[in-house]
Amino acid sequence: MRHYALIGEKLGHSLSRPIHEAIFAAAGIDADYRLIEIPRERFREESLALMDTLDGFNVTIPYKQDIMPLLDRIDQLAGAIGAVNTVVTGSETRGCNTDAAGFMRMLTHYGLDPAKAAHCFILGSGGTSKTVKACLKEMGAKGVTVVSRHPEAADEIAYAQFYEAFPQTGGLIVNASAAGMWPRKDPDNICAIHPDRVDEMMRYACGVADVVYNPPETFLTQAAAKAGLPWCTGLYMLVEQAVEAEQIWQGRKMPAGLTAKIMSEVHL
């Protein structure tokens, strides 16, 4: 039996285990999948140990960038994005990024075309944001701006600037932050956009994609739906990136129609 896992700091919300178990069942793979929470102060030590005991693992918030210096090799795409979410172990450890394929397939599936948007705004500046940025450009976005609580790079702006610029620019909004993720106990983190400004922003948007997958509708996508905009949350992306990861680990294609099958089976 092969052994795989997801590592992250807090994984109580994760659906990765049932998704990968469904892939194992459908593809006839003799394997198991675990969730492994690692505190920040033990990240390096525990991650290196797992490379010797697991056949592969996924990486989520906040370690998609932190894992990179610990690996022997980084795939070209993951290196260009600057984030790794899938690790191949063995004689050589290799970092890959399957989030990119998952995100692009999700936008296509839900009819959100970055090339048709006046501009694209990414909420959040972490590892997922880097993936989203690369994908939007690959899909033909005319312009991409990252909105951050602590802007540093040249293409990053603060939320105050976003509130001023968006009514004049409009376009596609992508939430690449953890804001709005279940269980949403913090009222100040229910949405990356201030709740009092969300409806106003929806008047100028052409669509909304939220990488958060639990709950199935976030505060942000509920506002998009109310405004009659195309929208999606991140479950499709989550399933697609898992299928892609398994193809890398197993060295073969997964069964056709697997994503649709798993989407119908996963219950939040």
Side-chain angles (χ1 to χ4, degrees), residues 133-153:
K133 180 180 175 182
C135 291
L136 293 174
K137 290 183 176 181
E138 176 68 21
M139 296 179 77
K142 300 178 180 68
V144 180
T145 299
V146 176
V147 186
S148 173
R149 292 178 180 176
H150 305 286
E152 295 179 357

Side-chain angles (χ1 to χ4, degrees), residues 17 32 35 38 45 74 86 115 133-134 158 165 197 216 240 264:
R17 183 174 181 178
D32 60 24
L35 303 181
I38 302 177
E45 175 186 353
I74 306 295
T86 299
K133 180 180 175 182
R197 305 297 297 268
E240 279 283 358
S264 68

Side-chain angles (χ1 to χ4, degrees), residues 167-180:
Q168 284 76 44
T169 309
L172 178 65
I173 296 174
V174 180
N175 176 45
S177 75

